Amino acid sequence: MKIQNSYEQSDYGKLYLVPTPIGNLDDMTFRAVNVLKEVDLIAAEDTRHTKKLLSHFSIHNELISYHEHNRFERIPILLEKLRQGKHIALVSDAGMPAISDPGFELVREAIANDVSVIVLPGANAAVSALVGSGLATESFYFHGFLPRKNRDKLDVLERLKHLQATIIFYESPHRVLDTLQALKQQFGDRNAALARELTKIYEQYIRGTIDEIAQYVKQHPLRGECVIVVEGYSGEAAPADDEWWEELTLEEHVLYYEKEENLSHKEAMKRAAKDRNMSKRDVYQALHVKKTE
Ligand code: SAM
């Protein structure tokens, strides 16, 4: 067990987690500006990006990069500085560090080394989208990004489909339609909201059922960053029973495995046969008879 009295005097420096705006610079807090001015060092996901933010707020401070690819080399260096009494702020490109951004491992190691971790409240896309979605907020589950591969995405959603809490996903605009389709397939046509470009001039909420939102997105391809918020399982609307491949032809089904899972044609036919409860021979014949016609 460890107890942190955040503002107690210590020989060690403190690690500050400082949220930055997710679009609107006015969302930078006074406290965030002050902390970034006062610390000895700012660890930033992308130093060039953060330099622009700092210059906007006339903050002249030393930066060190801390990102996905160098975090394990950086942690001992930052911990050493903290042990020497230096105060360090961690920022990501936008929003709350450590939320779908680098930060968690540094926080964990700081705590393990008895360094106080001070979190400043501030901008975060997930909580803003949740609150604006109009969906229940008394209990919610933040998932962040789903896997990119459709099969993996469906597997994750399968595990989440009976969760009785509002669920929040981060998604890129290029994959939002695929994700909505996967959601409908696994969850059924629940109420949902898509929040886009939060805090920016083109901020938009698309509220409706998953299918209504998908239809809208089909007709109005989206730009900008998105959050998908989905109603939790109510126990009433049963998730769709349809199999994910039901709308595919046999050829498309086999091709899916070849392309998405890099399987050989033979292995792909085997998987499709298993899904469809067909014999491998029937699959082979169906494809080959067609091809020779
Ligand atoms: N740490 C950030 C936070 O606290 O929200 C999240 C960083 S994560 C790498 C980026 C994702 O957050 C985007 O792909 C999008 O899903 C969501 N996001 C960030 N800014 C957003 C905005 N202005 N509007 C909608 N979604 C946003």
Side-chain angles (χ1 to χ4, degrees), residues 149-205:
K149 272 195 173 177
N150 202 41
R151 190 63 249 160
D152 298 341
K153 191 183 280 183
L154 291 171
D155 285 347
V156 172
L157 294 177
E158 171 74 27
R159 292 198 289 276
L160 298 178
K161 74 181 176 191
H162 291 128
L163 200 69
Q164 293 183 321
T166 303
I167 312 178
I168 309 166
F169 300 99
Y170 281 165
E171 194 48 287
S172 91
H174 322 289
R175 282 187 284 275
V176 86
L177 188 55
D178 284 350
T179 295
L180 287 166
Q181 281 163 348
L183 279 166
K184 183 174 170 221
Q185 201 175 310
Q186 294 294 46
F187 287 11
D189 197 16
R190 294 189 197 168
N191 290 319
L194 196 153
R196 193 171 76 78
E197 296 280 74
L198 289 169
T199 77
K200 303 183 195 176
I201 188 111
Y202 294 114
E203 174 176 301
Q204 186 179 45
Y205 284 92

Side-chain angles (χ1 to χ4, degrees), residues 61-78:
N61 209 337
E62 197 186 331
L63 284 165
I64 183 171
S65 72
Y66 178 86
H67 50 69
E68 189 64 24
H69 308 291
N70 70 0
R71 63 202 153 131
F72 293 113
E73 293 153 36
R74 283 290 195 250
I75 287 174
I77 298 170
L78 296 174

